[in-house]
Amino acid sequence: MEALFARRKSSRSVPASRSLLRRALVLPAAAVVAVPALATEAQAGHQRTVNGSVAMRIMDHETFGANAVCNRSFDLKPAVVTVGGHVRVKAWAKCGGEIRVEVHYKLTLDPNGVVRVTEGIVKFFEGDSENTGDLDGASAFAHMILFPGLSLSTHVHVQNWNEGQPDDKADVRLTVRN
């Protein structure tokens, strides 16, 4: 009797598990999506440290002589963001004695460990010095959603639109890591 019961049990479970395996393997490729696992609140903690980097190519167009072209790359100071709060980040680079390019954005942290980068804007200043307050162009960039352990980059182009000098420009690549 025990042998009959054991045989019945095994003959029933093998086809069922094979059937489940077949169904799992026959999923169409379009249905397979990789989604990063969200950290639980305990895993994510109530704060995250966000790192990043900025690379800029800035051109100060001159009507006489050579144009000033400056390549600036640097790491951002780590920012600690807490659930329920926010951190504003500002980074800048200067070029040619007349241009300053600033990157501004806001970091917020969801309880599940997801960091949101919002209110992103790149500002282009040109004037008599690199410390000018003469804002001649600005470009906003889209919100970024950073799952724990991941990074994203965005590329932003900004130029001197206010004075009709499109050859005074900057291309900025911002990378943010959660």
Side-chain angles (χ1 to χ4, degrees):
M1 181 75 166
E2 286 181 18
L4 180 62
F5 179 75
R7 190 173 31 181
R8 241 187 233 164
K9 181 179 178 184
S10 65
S11 66
R12 285 184 184 170
S13 64
V14 171
S17 65
R18 282 186 187 156
S19 175
L20 289 174
L21 180 60
R22 277 190 206 119
R23 278 187 262 152
L25 294 176
V26 178
L27 283 175
V32 179
V33 177
V35 177
L38 295 177
T40 65
E41 188 170 344
Q43 292 169 326
H46 296 293
Q47 67 183 22
R48 301 283 298 178
T49 300
V50 179
N51 298 299
S53 62
V54 175
M56 297 184 191
R57 183 178 189 280
I58 306 168
M59 186 165 83
D60 181 10
H61 176 74
E62 299 297 344
T63 55
F64 56 91
N67 295 335
V69 177
C70 305
N71 293 302
R72 306 283 190 248
S73 295
F74 50 92
D75 290 329
L76 296 170
K77 181 180 173 186
V80 177
V81 61
T82 305
V83 172
H86 69 270
V87 174
R88 293 199 180 272
V89 178
K90 176 182 174 183
W92 67 90
K94 299 175 179 182
C95 180
E98 300 174 347
I99 293 177
R100 183 178 72 256
V101 178
E102 297 180 356
V103 178
H104 299 258
Y105 57 91
K106 182 172 121 178
L107 299 171
T108 56
L109 177 63
D110 293 346
N112 59 6
V114 173
V115 172
R116 296 180 185 275
V117 180
T118 60
E119 300 179 21
I121 191 165
V122 176
K123 297 179 178 182
F124 187 93
F125 295 87
E126 184 188 28
D128 294 334
S129 78
E130 293 170 337
N131 298 321
T132 183
D134 183 16
L135 178 63
D136 289 323
S139 292
F141 56 89
H143 300 318
M144 301 164 70
I145 298 173
L146 297 164
F147 289 93
L150 296 182
S151 66
L152 288 174
S153 292
T154 189
H155 298 267
V156 182
H157 175 81
V158 65
Q159 63 192 46
N160 185 339
W161 286 294
N162 286 355
E163 295 171 353
Q165 298 175 348
D167 290 332
D168 288 333
K169 59 189 173 187
D171 290 298
V172 177
R173 184 184 74 238
L174 169 67
T175 302
V176 185
R177 293 179 285 282
N178 179 1

